[in-house]
Amino acid sequence: MPISPKLVMKEPNYYAETYNKASIKHIKILDSTLREGEQHPGVYFTNKQRIQIAWMLDYFGVDQIEISPVVSTDHFDATKIIIKQGLKADIVAHVRALKSDIDIALKCDSNWVATYLGISDVHLNDKLRITREEALERSIDVVEYAKKHGLKIRFTVEDGSRANPDFLIKLCKSIENSKVDRISLPDTVGILHPSGMYNFVKKVRSEIKIPLDVHCHNDVGFALANSFAACKAGADQIHTTIDGIGERTGIPSLAEVATAISHIYKIKNDFRLDMLVDLSRLIEQYTKIIPYDSKPIVGSSAYKHKAGTHLAAVLKNPAAYEIINPRSVGNKRRIVFGELSGKTGASYLLSVLGIKNTKFSKDVAQSLKKLRMGDLIEIPLDTD
Ligand code: HCA
Ligand code: CU
């Protein structure tokens, strides 16, 4: 859905200068709601739900959908069935860097597999109890095994943001030689800030030619910014989940990433952004996790306007306080009448009720002042 002409700014501005000249030409999305998302505490989908979510993500237009066939027989069945649907998106079977896990992916008739191996010292020494040499050997072996079986393979250097940089590059080069198709660079623990993420990806980009995914955790809230910093440094696919659910504080939300690609970076894409709120509500219904009301794009307050000065401006032109037409992302604009509405708000409320005479506005404004949270009056405002 096109952005409202009223919202388009034609004047020179900082954002166009900064972003339109960025090196980012195209950004793909891998959605991992069915893998990372299911790692969120309390989240478990039925196979019917998994299939429906995969269909909806495909219709929305993500490039890849990730699911793990190894966590249970249920997941194995779901992976197999989803692969059979013949969706446009690649279905990526996410497994450990083990030949036996690759065999499970093969049994699901996967074309795409993603294997992961912790490569930071804390993962090698304390989680896996293997040496760097063993990790290197295992990585090459598993990539060669997958390629021998005709699979496309992504390799995730888990906890890469904390790994020894020389070892990380050595491993990436070795698997590139073994013909790995993509490498995922994760900030598994959410430790990086945007410039750190830029440097991390830039370093790998300068040594490695194959496409790079980026997978950013949100432990201190940098996941979205880090994902775009990574793309500026040369990654071309961002990992998301619906509503950002995942381990701990999760990863960037599909809604925020897709909207930023379209409206902030203005990169051409075929995403059906008007499905975003429905996707979020679907996940809310299945997980019982309600996104906080001010959550960007999908939150129930994301397009509500309350202060009198805001109301007065938005009634004339919503672009005064909105950068995106809420309808274009499936949300609704609402105005909220309450203690801050002032005379403009009051006379608008009266006009909605069919009362043209503005002599009551002052009294109504006074009465509205007495409204408190929970008593507020809200109405939709669809001006365009
Ligand atoms: C995990 C780790 C992972 C993998 C990311 C990826 C991470 O939970 O298995 O495969 O790109 O954050 O490192 O989610
Ligand atoms: Cu993760």
Side-chain angles (χ1 to χ4, degrees), residues 65-103:
I65 295 170
E66 188 171 77
I67 180 163
S68 171
V70 295
V71 288
S72 72
T73 50
D74 236 24
H75 284 83
F76 176 87
D77 294 342
T79 310
K80 202 166 172 159
I81 297 169
I82 292 170
I83 287 170
K84 264 214 188 107
Q85 311 290 302
L87 302 178
K88 268 206 309 309
D90 299 321
I91 308 302
V92 181
H94 194 264
V95 299
R96 291 163 297 182
L98 297 172
K99 288 183 190 166
S100 51
D101 274 20
I102 300 271
D103 288 338

Side-chain angles (χ1 to χ4, degrees), residues 5 17 38 59 80 121 132 249 291 322 349:
E17 291 242 316
E38 281 208 34
Y59 193 67
K80 202 166 172 159
D121 288 341
R132 285 186 185 168
T249 54
E322 284 174 1
L349 182 58

Side-chain angles (χ1 to χ4, degrees), residues 55-319:
W55 270 89
M56 286 184 70
L57 286 168
D58 188 56
Y59 193 67
F60 172 81
V62 301
D63 299 274
Q64 300 201 314
I65 295 170
E66 188 171 77
I67 180 163
S68 171
V70 295
V71 288
S72 72
T73 50
D74 236 24
H75 284 83
F76 176 87
D77 294 342
T79 310
K80 202 166 172 159
I81 297 169
I82 292 170
I83 287 170
K84 264 214 188 107
Q85 311 290 302
L87 302 178
K88 268 206 309 309
D90 299 321
I91 308 302
V92 181
H94 194 264
V95 299
R96 291 163 297 182
L98 297 172
K99 288 183 190 166
S100 51
D101 274 20
I102 300 271
D103 288 338
I104 296 176
L106 284 165
K107 284 204 191 106
C108 298
D109 304 317
S110 302
N111 293 323
W112 260 103
V113 71
T115 55
Y116 65 97
L117 185 70
I119 65 150
S120 61
D121 288 341
V122 60
H123 277 233
L124 291 173
N125 298 337
D126 300 326
K127 183 177 94 171
L128 300 164
R129 298 186 191 280
I130 58 173
T131 63
R132 285 186 185 168
E133 287 63 40
E134 284 166 330
L136 192 63
E137 206 175 300
R138 194 189 283 188
S139 310
I140 298 169
D141 265 11
V142 87
V143 171
E144 285 177 351
Y145 187 73
K147 292 313 294 178
K148 199 171 85 198
H149 286 85
L151 290 170
K152 293 237 184 211
I153 176 166
R154 177 185 105 220
F155 193 96
T156 299
V157 285
E158 190 188 2
D159 206 19
S161 53
R162 289 194 298 176
N164 173 285
D166 295 333
F167 177 60
L168 178 123
I169 296 294
K170 185 172 170 189
L171 192 144
C172 289
K173 279 188 170 165
S174 308
I175 55 176
E176 185 175 44
N177 280 337
S178 305
K179 302 276 179 287
V180 74
D181 295 278
R182 302 187 73 92
I183 292 178
S184 170
L185 298 175
D187 182 19
T188 304
V189 292
I191 200 172
L192 293 180
H193 50 59
S195 356
M197 184 49 117
Y198 180 87
N199 294 338
F200 172 40
V201 178
K202 197 78 183 166
K203 171 74 185 151
V204 178
R205 182 72 299 163
S206 68
E207 308 266 1
I208 299 293
K209 303 234 158 17
I210 56 162
L212 301 173
D213 287 31
V214 63
H215 179 103
C216 298
H217 274 269
N218 205 31
D219 294 70
V220 286
F222 276 134
L224 181 71
N226 283 352
S227 302
F228 283 97
C231 290
K232 206 164 175 191
D236 78 337
Q237 178 157 269
I238 296 178
H239 291 192
T240 66
T241 59
I242 300 169
D243 288 349
I245 55 173
E247 286 282 351
R248 311 182 306 281
T249 54
I251 64 172
S253 83
L254 174 66
E256 290 163 35
V257 169
T259 307
I261 290 174
S262 302
H263 289 305
I264 303 295
Y265 288 89
K266 304 197 190 311
I267 297 171
K268 222 177 132 309
N269 64 77
D270 297 319
F271 302 133
R272 292 178 198 266
L273 296 186
D274 56 341
M275 289 175 68
L276 285 172
V277 168
D278 283 346
L279 281 166
S280 173
R281 298 295 180 266
L282 185 77
I283 293 304
E284 177 183 328
Q285 190 190 328
Y286 291 163
T287 63
K288 310 282 177 267
I289 300 170
I290 303 170
Y292 59 97
D293 71 326
S294 57
K295 193 171 175 68
I297 318 299
V298 299
S300 57
S301 296
Y303 300 94
K304 281 183 187 168
H305 303 279
K306 185 178 167 200
T309 50
H310 288 231
L311 290 190
V314 166
L315 289 170
K316 295 192 190 94
N317 180 359

